[in-house]
Amino acid sequence: MSDPERQPLLGSPSAEQRAFPRIKNPTFTRFVSIAAPIAFLYATYSLLAASGGGHGPSTWFDSYKLPHKNWPHAEIQFSELEDIAISYPKAARAKEWSRYYTSGPHLGGANYSQALWTKDRLEELGLDTTIESYDIYVNYPLGHRLALLKDTGSHGEYKVEFEAGLEEPVLKEDTTSGLVDRIPTFHGYSASGNVTGPLVFANYGTFTDYDTLLAHNITIKGSIIIVKYGGVFRGLKVKRAQELGALGVIIYSDPGDDFGITPENGYEEYPVGPARNSGSVQRGSVQFLSYGPGDPTTPGYPSHPGAPRKDPSNTTPTIPSLPISYNDAIPLLLALNSHGPRGSSFGWSDGGLTGKGIHYNIGPTPPGLVVNLVNEQDYKITPMWDVIARIPGTLGSTEGVVVSGNHRDAWIAGGAGDPNSGSAALLEVAGALAAMRKRGWQPTRDIILASWDGEEYGLLGSTEWVEDHAKYLTEHAVAYINLDIGAVGSHFRVSANPLLNSLLREAAGKTPITGKDGKTVSDFWNGHIATLGSGSDYTAFQDFLGIPSSDMAFVNDIGDSVWMYHSNFDSFSWMERFGDKGFVHHEAAAKMWALMLLHLSTQDVLPLNITEYAANLEGYLAGIQKKKGGNGDSPHPLTLSEFSANGVGNFDGDLHLDGYGNPTEFSYEPPKMVVRDQSVVKHHNNKPDFDLGSLPAHMSTLTAHAVEVQAYIATLLRRREELASKGPAHGCFAALASYIRRVQLWREISVANNALRKFDRMFIDEEGLGGGRGWFKHVVFAPGRWTGYAGVVLPGLGESWEDGDAEGWVLWRHRVGRCVGKAVNLLRAI
């Protein structure tokens, strides 16, 4: 008997038993053939997710999605798409869009028919388009008066010496100037009031101009101030006058800032020639823009129906103001002749009215001669309408959303330059993108095109939309590309976040201008990229959420016709005859805009240059160090004092101006004319301390990591090219292996893109700036608190130094350092 311990537990199988049983159920067979690869892919996903550091796509399914099924092999050559971007926009179409937009009044909150028309045009191009509305607090004009009165000496009775017309002339050559429903001259957000007092001339009304008056014992309190437009945002001219006790402010455009294009130099006035029409009036907002844009009653949150409302006085005036023409200004300035010192004795240059007998005396007017200023405004809460069009990307907002926009509202019936040259370009950009879609293209990332309402009052439509969608934009937004003014001249100018500088240079070099002998935008650009300040719809994106933004325009400069900004003569007639003959710069602006959107939405790696950002950041800090120590050049070439002394017209062509004719940058400069109250000058540990500590070293660390990341991105691009060069894989297992390699590479690219997209957000500090500027959250970029249009860098540090506030300096040194540290950690995690 055999030993049972030596017997096998199972008998040896026969050959028949060794054969696997045949599965006869075809459904089960198909299930196994599908499930096995999925199980394998799931295991692969787990490995990829583990190596991704948790920064990749948000869902399991998203991890396997590629930009398109054959990626990285191109379905359409990128060069072909670029050709569409620069061939589709046409000057003739842009001209017709401009003709429509400028044919009638379209104030903010009073242009619903234009909103619907814009929506229809975008839907005709196949874009999914909606209108989003907000209920916003604004004013509309009821009445006004401005008169020079002389005391008759009889029981307080006055006679009228001069009554200002306060209305622009009707020109038969310019049809919209005579519309029955044309908009009166007024200031947005100006306070209603009826005030009477002596007149004082305050040059441009900058902070340093008012300081100069105080230093020379000129009485501002109880006076009505007359100032020139230019240099700084008009609302800040009113704000400082209000703080010093002025009763009201009058603002006029002086021809001395028209670069010599004046009747005195032999140029005819518009409509005959390129000089400013002497009756033109620049309307505009007097909101305190550098203290917070948007609805002044809902700061930081959207103006939905029923939203709680706050006192608007933090960002809007409590004294009245009026805009006037230089024709109306002449009798007022003549009344100041021989009264008070001349402005030239303060180092201020005379304006352009000396030929009219104006001496630019400061005043005040003599006893018995006063000015009566009446401003009647109707304040109400009214809807405003943002038109929002969307083009879905293949990967949707998971890979980001590119936002771009222009506002369509204007102070007048026209607005051919501001904003509707940009509105015309927006429709051409939409058409170019639609043409690409017809060719079979779909962007990788979502694109949003916006037609904003209410920009002129204070960036209302865009700010409320950004505040409304803040969470979504913070998570997904790649960039915001703004085009306010498309074309009012032939000189290209741009302001931008440094992340976009490389893309701007590339796009400018690829954008031809029709009729310019093959020259591109680069040939009409000095290459300077200014710091973003405020004054247009990029503000909420850049300064509130940290979304890298840009703003570009073809502007008038030396040798161009005078652009009568915000007047009835910013009209289709002026544009056709003087501003952009042939509308070729409208066309060029649309081409370059379309190219930028194509690159941002479709390039595998986002075209955001973090090394240039980091290098600029070190430069900003070095500039503040030099200026602080007084032993080197400032980061910006102009101070407010220098501007006050020279104005715009007396600088040479090297002065960098924005589309409105104002300097794009100012240097920090403490006011020197008035001794500050030493009790408000704070010292850290009882001694002045403006040392930068370890901040320069932290910024150098950031630069080093940025260089490393850019080098890593270059390797990713090389790997992509290697994959693309191999051609499509054939066979099941080869295709599966290729797919896994492609998914892994795309995940690595996606992780890098996520960091690039979030990079500028690292410089957002939720506490915001001090001094009533808490709405502005960015520690690197902001509008100057007393400039508005012009941008400043490292505002917390710069303003603390300006104020002699050493305690604030140390606080901001820490806050900036903390943000730099967040950016370093973001790059380390790639």
Side-chain angles (χ1 to χ4, degrees), residues 523-744:
D523 295 309
F524 298 88
W525 178 25
N526 60 13
H528 179 70
I529 300 177
T531 302
L532 285 167
S534 189
S536 196
D537 290 305
Y538 54 77
T539 303
F541 292 90
Q542 180 61 71
D543 297 333
F544 189 65
L545 293 185
I547 296 166
S549 302
S550 70
D551 187 43
M552 57 188 179
F554 285 94
V555 305
N556 65 326
D557 206 331
I558 297 172
D560 285 329
S561 171
V562 176
W563 176 40
M564 290 162 286
Y565 167 60
H566 286 181
S567 82
N568 275 346
F569 310 129
D570 180 15
S571 61
F572 183 84
S573 174
W574 175 84
M575 183 64 72
E576 187 177 35
R577 296 171 60 195
F578 294 102
D580 185 18
K581 298 176 183 178
F583 287 74
V584 295
H585 295 99
H586 286 63
E587 178 185 285
K591 290 175 178 179
M592 183 167 168
W593 195 357
L595 273 177
M596 291 183 68
L597 295 186
L598 172 64
H599 280 254
L600 285 165
S601 66
T602 308
Q603 280 188 209
D604 287 341
V605 175
L606 288 171
L608 302 176
N609 192 324
I610 56 174
T611 56
E612 185 157 1
Y613 190 111
N616 279 18
L617 194 56
E618 288 196 88
Y620 301 151
L621 191 64
I624 285 183
Q625 279 184 306
K626 290 178 182 178
K627 190 65 183 176
K628 175 177 68 67
N631 58 356
D633 294 331
S634 68
H636 307 311
L638 188 66
T639 66
L640 276 175
S641 294
E642 291 168 339
F643 175 80
S644 292
N646 294 281
V648 173
N650 293 312
F651 280 99
D652 60 26
D654 293 332
L655 180 64
H656 300 303
L657 301 177
D658 62 17
Y660 315 105
N662 300 304
T664 57
E665 295 154 322
F666 283 98
S667 174
Y668 293 114
E669 177 191 47
K672 299 174 181 178
M673 298 297 183
V674 177
V675 177
R676 288 176 174 268
D677 180 355
Q678 292 301 308
S679 67
V680 304
V681 178
K682 301 175 184 178
H683 291 167
H684 184 64
N685 294 330
N686 298 315
K687 64 178 181 179
D689 180 10
F690 291 99
D691 180 69
L692 287 167
S694 59
L695 193 54
H698 291 325
M699 289 189 177
S700 295
T701 300
L702 177 63
T703 300
H705 280 285
V707 170
E708 290 178 6
V709 168
Q710 292 288 176
Y712 169 65
I713 287 172
T715 65
L716 294 179
L717 293 175
R718 283 195 296 272
R719 287 168 57 194
R720 183 201 61 182
E721 293 306 313
E722 289 171 3
L723 274 179
S725 66
K726 294 180 179 179
H730 299 286
C732 179
F733 288 103
L736 181 60
S738 171
Y739 177 69
I740 292 171
R741 285 194 299 271
R742 292 188 293 136
V743 167
Q744 183 172 12

Side-chain angles (χ1 to χ4, degrees), residues 76 124 166 197 266 287 318 364 367 391 420 461 470 530 556 579 604 681 692 730 765 828:
I76 307 173
E124 287 171 357
L166 302 181
Q287 185 184 43
T318 57
I391 298 176
N420 298 133
N556 65 326
D604 287 341
V681 178
L692 287 167
H730 299 286
D765 188 311
R828 281 175 174 164

Side-chain angles (χ1 to χ4, degrees), residues 174-199:
D174 194 325
T175 56
T176 54
S177 70
L179 293 176
V180 174
D181 57 351
R182 61 189 181 275
I183 298 167
T185 56
F186 79 109
H187 278 150
Y189 287 121
S190 178
S192 294
N194 184 337
V195 295
T196 302
L199 186 67

